[in-house]
Amino acid sequence: VSIDEPVYSGGTSGFKGSGAGGDYAGDNSLLLSDRLECSELPPEDYVENGFLRQTLENAMAAELSPYERDILRLRLGLDDGQPRSIREVVEACGGDISVTDVRSAERRAFKKLRSPNAVQAHNLVAYFEMADISFDADKMPW
């Protein structure tokens, strides 16, 4: 069976009805490739996402404190793909921290990762573009 071989030809091949419903106007053939759809990312996107994730992991390990890394991991859903609200982060930490603590840790972490040294050393520009984070490369000193 070929994906380019007609699966259905709109003639009188055992289907009842006149075909007047307009389902098969013009060319009455249905190809297998017309029905196949893939909702997954293409393989090259998986590879690119993997490289970007590794770059971000390296930058976070080098630039952030363990506390700031944990806050960003929870907020952005880096471990399980589920981003959390600030209140959910507070709950995940057992209520030992406040909403203000989470906000300030997140702000410090992003400030460190956006610093010219971190951006240049870890090549984070591609990650900022992918994450749609505003970043003006023209203002960077290099």
Side-chain angles (χ1 to χ4, degrees):
V1 175
S2 170
I3 63 171
D4 295 324
E5 189 174 310
V7 175
Y8 166 77
S9 293
T12 57
S13 60
F15 287 99
K16 294 185 178 181
S18 66
D23 291 339
Y24 298 102
D27 183 13
N28 289 345
S29 61
L30 177 64
L31 303 178
L32 186 58
S33 62
D34 293 336
R35 304 301 304 160
L36 295 176
E37 293 181 21
C38 181
S39 61
E40 294 183 14
L41 290 173
E44 58 271 12
D45 286 354
Y46 279 113
V47 172
E48 184 176 348
N49 287 344
F51 283 136
L52 289 173
R53 183 176 175 85
Q54 188 60 50
T55 299
L56 182 60
E57 292 286 342
N58 292 342
M60 288 173 58
E63 303 294 329
L64 305 180
S65 71
Y67 175 72
E68 292 164 338
R69 281 196 305 267
D70 291 344
I71 296 297
L72 279 191
R73 284 183 181 291
L74 290 169
R75 286 284 287 145
L76 301 176
L78 296 179
D79 293 330
D80 60 5
Q82 299 288 48
R84 290 172 176 77
S85 69
I86 292 176
R87 293 207 183 278
E88 290 171 329
V89 172
V90 170
E91 290 172 13
C93 294
D96 294 337
I97 59 174
S98 69
V99 169
T100 305
D101 294 336
V102 173
R103 282 190 182 125
S104 63
E106 184 179 21
R107 199 175 357 225
R108 276 192 319 270
F110 279 128
K111 184 176 181 181
K112 288 178 181 180
L113 291 174
R114 285 182 176 149
S115 75
N117 293 337
V119 170
Q120 186 176 19
H122 303 289
N123 194 21
L124 294 176
V125 175
Y127 182 78
F128 287 149
E129 290 171 355
M130 182 181 165
D132 199 25
I133 296 172
S134 63
F135 176 77
D136 191 357
D138 295 333
K139 293 183 179 176
M140 300 312 274
W142 60 85

